[in-house]
Amino acid sequence: MTDYPLPAPGEITGWTTPPTDGGERLDGRSTVLLTADRLITGRRGDAPGTLEVVGDVPDVGPDGEGAGPAEAARRAGGGGAVLLDHKRILFVGTVAEAEAHLSSRTDLAVADIGRLDLPGSTLMPGLIETHDHLLTSGTAVEYPDYGPHEVARLTLNAARSARELLSVGVTSTQSLGARHYIDVAVREAIDNGDVRGPRVVASGPQITTTAGHSYHAGAEVDSLDQIRYEVRHHHKMGVDTIKVMATGGFMTGGSAPWFAQFSQGELDVLIAEAHRLGKWTAAHAHGVQGIERAVRAGVDYVAHASFITADGRSEFDPALADEMARAGVYVDCTITADMPQMLRRDDSYAPPARQLWEHGVKIVAGHDAGIPAVPQRGYVAGLEALEWVGLPRAEVILAATSRAAAAIGCAGITGVLAEGFEADLIAVAGDPRESLDALRDLTLVVTRGREFVPDRLEGVPVLLDDSLGGLGPIGPAATLGVWRTLAERRRTHPEV
């Protein structure tokens, strides 16, 4: 017998390949105390228009002014703290309260608890994108021709988009349209730890009419039986949300966004069948008739709600807004990063986010991310645009965190920093209550207790001209222009 040396590789350690955590400071498998100068919980504050904040340490100015009081507050146990245990939040309070809580716990060995201090930062819930298309890229071509490799390439696109969202602090997203149910597969891969990405709420292909808006996704229906079958098939394929195209849209040639695509009875059946199967529901709806029918059918979420008419204008309907508020429906008005420039050129298409909010409608941060000219990495600029059109900053932060979580069916799971919630959070340098630009300066991104080190991202220039027709190659200007030209030609045709 050959005389081999002892011990054999791995005989002592028990590992052939030891685990490593790369550059991550939080591995999602440990108990860690996080501290910062303040903590925004995701709840409203006691005073109107404010946010609940824990342990607010005074700011330090650019010239160092205020450094003394800030340091004194930190030494006194000021600032906010979150105690994480694996994927869950165990405790939230001031630093002093967290340290006292730890000393009273008999089930935790203080010596084994890690600590990460982030002075100058604000801890807050991870951001949430409520309206995403993971498979697309935000470039000029929504779905390039990938030929026989379509499924593989779209899956890789989705994996890249997921990392891009995490890299800007988005820790949860609702996918509202994906060919081949690729978002379901990506959700499973993320949940299993195979790829990094935010929590994904998946819808699979949008349900539409034959040749209706987004028919290319592959879920066309034209009867009550077909509607029931398609909802049940989506359920079989593992979706979380059923999305229906209640009106036409701007991005499908020959589609008119001011026309409803389904009757009231058809939407009633679709929403009822989805709810019977325990699914969240979402409706793409631009025109008043489609919005009204979706809300009356009991839909949970409305995308766009632009109140667009055949005249090519957004014409707000206060009575319908009140009905939406009473129904408790969540609404994303798709205020994208380039919306301010669009409205400066032509304010006829102006989704009424401010008016809806004033009527008590629950506005959330959804950007149709992935469509042409709307890349996932433009998320924070979309929040700034939402503030620009009139939503107060505190409301924007709620729309991007706790309210957004409820809007995608994740209430009680994420969107709030509180005991029992999953550990999805970010830390940013500075205070986002002073400026939303602070959300760009990430000092920590954590999803389900594990840190994600953001990727380097290319910048997105401001769209200053109309080369993309508003929202893209087929946008409001292009769509309305075609219809208006045809109407004018008909009007001038001689009567014979």
Side-chain angles (χ1 to χ4, degrees):
M1 181 176 178
T2 305
D3 186 17
Y4 293 112
L6 294 176
E11 190 172 340
I12 295 176
T13 65
W15 290 101
T16 300
T17 305
T20 63
D21 291 316
E24 302 165 2
R25 292 167 291 182
L26 284 74
D27 60 14
R29 302 189 299 269
S30 308
T31 304
V32 180
L33 180 64
L34 299 179
T35 73
D37 280 1
R38 68 195 58 82
L39 182 148
I40 296 173
T41 66
R43 298 188 180 100
R44 292 189 184 280
D46 292 333
T50 65
L51 300 171
E52 182 181 63
V53 178
V54 175
D56 204 358
V57 168
D59 280 328
V60 177
D63 58 354
E65 183 181 356
E71 187 56 36
R74 293 183 190 121
R75 285 197 303 269
V82 182
L83 180 62
L84 308 182
D85 184 46
H86 296 72
K87 299 180 180 181
R88 296 281 176 181
I89 296 175
L90 287 184
F91 182 83
V92 173
T94 66
V95 175
E97 290 168 343
E99 290 172 342
H101 175 81
L102 274 175
S103 65
S104 70
R105 299 277 302 242
T106 58
D107 58 328
L108 296 174
V110 176
D112 296 334
I113 296 173
R115 180 159 177 163
L116 178 59
D117 297 315
L118 300 168
S121 295
T122 300
L123 286 166
M124 60 184 292
L127 303 171
I128 298 175
E129 172 61 81
T130 66
H131 185 172
D132 201 287
H133 297 278
L134 291 168
L135 282 59
T136 52
S137 59
T139 58
V141 180
E142 187 171 7
Y143 285 102
D145 182 7
Y146 293 128
H149 304 296
E150 176 176 279
V151 174
R153 288 296 303 275
L154 292 178
T155 302
L156 292 171
N157 283 354
R160 182 209 60 233
S161 295
R163 290 188 65 91
E164 190 169 301
L165 286 169
L166 268 188
S167 294
V168 295
V170 173
T171 58
S172 295
T173 185
Q174 179 173 234
S175 165
L176 287 183
R179 292 184 188 182
H180 312 296
Y181 300 92
I182 287 171
D183 54 354
V184 175
V186 171
R187 178 197 69 200
E188 296 300 306
I190 292 171
D191 289 351
N192 197 45
D194 300 326
V195 296
R196 296 303 307 272
R199 176 191 323 277
V200 173
V201 175
S203 73
Q206 307 95 313
I207 298 178
T208 189
T209 54
T210 294
H213 183 42
S214 295
Y215 71 88
H216 57 271
E220 296 167 288
V221 295
D222 291 301
S223 70
L224 295 181
D225 282 345
Q226 288 179 349
I227 288 170
R228 291 187 182 95
Y229 168 79
E230 197 59 56
V231 171
R232 293 170 187 177
H233 183 65
H234 275 56
H235 169 60
K236 179 180 179 180
M237 296 300 290
V239 305
D240 305 294
T241 298
I242 300 293
K243 183 185 181 184
V244 60
M245 310 309 265
T247 70
F250 292 111
M251 295 302 204
T252 301
S255 178
W258 47 87
F259 287 142
Q261 294 194 149
F262 290 90
S263 69
Q264 185 66 63
E266 289 170 331
L267 284 181
D268 288 346
V269 167
L270 188 149
I271 300 299
E273 190 67 10
H275 284 164
R276 182 185 72 82
L277 294 169
K279 302 301 176 186
W280 201 247
T281 56
H284 158 107
H286 281 288
V288 168
Q289 188 179 59
I291 299 170
E292 183 178 78
R293 290 178 181 178
V295 171
R296 291 179 180 176
V299 76
D300 301 298
Y301 180 105
V302 172
H304 307 302
S306 59
F307 289 76
I308 198 74
T309 69
D311 295 327
R313 297 193 61 84
S314 295
E315 297 182 5
F316 183 64
D317 184 334
L320 179 53
D322 289 338
E323 186 174 348
M324 296 166 77
R326 288 192 299 270
V329 65
Y330 296 92
V331 175
D332 88 66
C333 287
T334 325
I335 305 299
T336 56
D338 62 348
M339 185 67 73
Q341 284 71 37
M342 289 172 54
L343 294 178
R344 286 193 183 281
R345 292 192 299 269
D346 178 7
D347 65 357
S348 61
Y349 177 77
R354 171 80 187 196
Q355 293 123 302
L356 285 168
W357 172 72
E358 288 174 340
H359 280 257
V361 176
K362 300 173 182 177
I363 301 298
V364 295
H367 305 103
D368 220 354
I371 66 168
V374 188
Q376 276 82 6
R377 61 189 179 278
Y379 180 88
V380 173
L383 298 186
E384 291 172 328
L386 188 55
E387 182 182 20
W388 186 86
V389 301
L391 207 65
R393 188 175 301 145
E395 289 295 318
V396 173
I397 292 172
L398 293 174
T401 56
S402 53
R403 192 185 304 135
I408 65 173
C410 290
I413 298 171
T414 190
V416 179
L417 297 188
E419 181 182 348
F421 280 74
E422 293 206 9
D424 298 336
L425 55 93
I426 60 174
V428 299
D431 187 347
R433 295 174 301 166
E434 302 300 323
S435 171
L436 294 176
D437 186 56
L439 298 175
R440 290 191 173 87
D441 197 353
L442 294 165
T443 55
L444 182 70
V445 177
V446 178
T447 175
R448 296 172 181 173
R450 182 181 173 192
E451 182 179 7
F452 175 80
V453 180
D455 296 334
R456 183 184 67 85
L457 299 176
E458 297 294 332
V460 180
V462 175
L463 182 64
L464 296 177
D465 58 38
D466 203 29
S467 61
L468 292 178
L471 284 178
I474 302 177
T479 301
L480 298 171
V482 169
W483 284 73
R484 287 168 177 164
T485 299
L486 183 57
E488 180 63 17
R489 287 177 177 173
R490 287 172 175 162
R491 187 186 67 78
T492 58
H493 189 81
E495 294 185 16
V496 292

